[in-house]
Amino acid sequence: DGTDLYCLPGVPGEMRAMLDEEVLPKILQRFPDPPERAEQTLTVFGLPEPEIEDRILRQGLPSGVELAFAVDLPTTRVKLRCCGPEASPQVDRAELKSRQALGDHVVAIGEETLAGNTIRLLILAGKTLAVAESCTGGLIAKMLTDQPGTSQILEQALVTYANSAKTDLLGVPAELIEQHGAVSSACARAMATGIRQIPGTDIGLAVTGIAGPNGGTTEKPVGTVYIALSSDNGERLERLSFPGDRDQVRIRTAFTAIDWLRRLALEQLTGSKD
């Protein structure tokens, strides 16, 4: 019935090139005046998808705006789409309503990232940072240094995997580790304090935990993680339990730790913990 059918290879690079060079020009030639389309993406962290959807729908979306989701562990990407002459302003309204519904769980807009926004906010707040990692093995440092501008705030990052490294490099007392264990609130607190004192930064961040698949106990099963944050505003320390395999535990830990930094920077900039 006069329908054009295009079959493209699955290799992404080849598919994109053929789409840009062959398919889209022919489609636009056949349909020279496509309707206006607009889309905005919100990256959400710390809420499950059903709750995200419920919050947005209770807030209400403008007419014609479609809601879609894409899970990118451990975040959810909320996509707001609209087609028609009022597509752009309708999507803008939808973004505002969605951000109101989701609050500070929205960690990035569009092509932004959690780490990128965190770096930007720490720069604005004028805060310097040092990081001590155990179970994440440098993942937090990688996520931060993947972003431009990190050199303005990150003074030092150490992977203190062995107990001896925690003692020799961070000054964690060996007796403390022997008494409480390397995966403990006491050790995490000492790591955050130690890494902050070495270069004299405004913030010290530390993580220690059991990523698995081995090493768990009844008291501290696989997925047990302690995150500690030391700053001029005091300390924050929590024991968390993350599901998933080794990689998933590590990435959930890294995202949570960086989100702590984002929230601390916001608190410094706004003077509020809300």
Side-chain angles (χ1 to χ4, degrees):
D1 297 326
T3 299
D4 293 331
L5 177 64
Y6 299 92
C7 299
L8 302 178
V11 180
E14 296 177 6
M15 183 275 289
R16 292 191 186 101
M18 295 175 72
L19 188 68
D20 291 339
E21 296 172 12
E22 298 290 338
V23 178
L24 292 179
K26 290 179 179 177
I27 292 176
L28 290 174
Q29 184 178 13
R30 183 166 179 177
F31 303 99
D33 297 308
E36 179 185 351
R37 296 183 60 86
E39 177 176 315
Q40 183 60 284
T41 301
L42 311 180
T43 301
V44 182
F45 179 66
L47 291 176
E49 183 180 329
E51 184 173 349
I52 295 172
E53 182 176 22
D54 181 63
R55 287 192 182 196
I56 293 176
L57 293 181
R58 279 193 284 113
Q59 183 75 13
L61 289 175
S63 176
V65 176
E66 298 177 350
L67 181 64
F69 300 95
V71 176
D72 184 14
L73 187 79
T75 63
T76 300
R77 292 173 64 80
V78 177
K79 299 182 179 182
L80 304 166
R81 298 167 174 160
C82 189
C83 181
E86 293 294 314
S88 292
Q90 288 293 79
V91 166
D92 288 343
R93 296 185 188 101
E95 178 188 342
L96 177 61
K97 284 180 170 291
S98 297
R99 294 179 69 170
Q100 291 172 340
L102 301 171
D104 57 10
H105 290 285
V106 177
V107 299
I109 305 294
E111 297 302 316
E112 298 171 344
T113 65
L114 167 62
N117 275 341
T118 299
I119 294 296
R120 177 179 59 82
L121 291 170
L122 287 171
I123 291 172
L124 288 174
K127 299 300 179 181
T128 55
L129 169 70
V131 180
E133 300 183 61
S134 186
C135 62
T136 47
L139 181 57
I140 295 172
K142 178 191 182 304
M143 289 177 61
L144 293 175
T145 55
D146 280 346
Q147 307 301 317
T150 310
S151 59
Q152 297 183 55
I153 60 100
L154 183 62
E155 295 285 342
Q156 191 173 85
L158 297 177
V159 178
T160 53
Y161 214 69
N163 290 348
S164 58
K166 295 177 177 66
T167 298
D168 296 341
L169 299 178
L170 301 178
V172 179
E175 309 81 52
L176 181 150
I177 296 178
E178 183 177 350
Q179 180 179 356
H180 299 282
V183 180
S184 64
S185 59
C187 185
R189 178 184 288 111
M191 289 172 64
T193 302
I195 193 63
R196 182 185 176 200
Q197 290 176 343
I198 295 172
T201 53
D202 300 307
I203 304 168
L205 173 68
V207 296
T208 180
I210 305 169
N214 304 316
T217 65
T218 303
E219 181 183 354
K220 298 175 183 177
V222 170
T224 300
V225 172
Y226 290 88
I227 303 178
L229 196 62
S230 173
S231 71
D232 292 336
N233 282 19
E235 294 182 342
R236 180 179 179 185
L237 175 65
E238 285 187 29
R239 170 176 169 158
L240 302 164
S241 181
F242 293 120
D245 59 22
R246 183 178 180 85
D247 287 342
Q248 291 172 343
V249 170
R250 286 155 59 98
I251 195 169
R252 290 181 196 274
T253 301
F255 267 76
T256 302
I258 293 174
D259 191 49
W260 280 25
L261 293 174
R262 180 185 68 91
R263 291 172 180 270
L264 178 63
L266 283 172
E267 180 183 332
Q268 295 286 318
L269 290 169
T270 63
S272 172
K273 293 185 178 182
D274 295 334

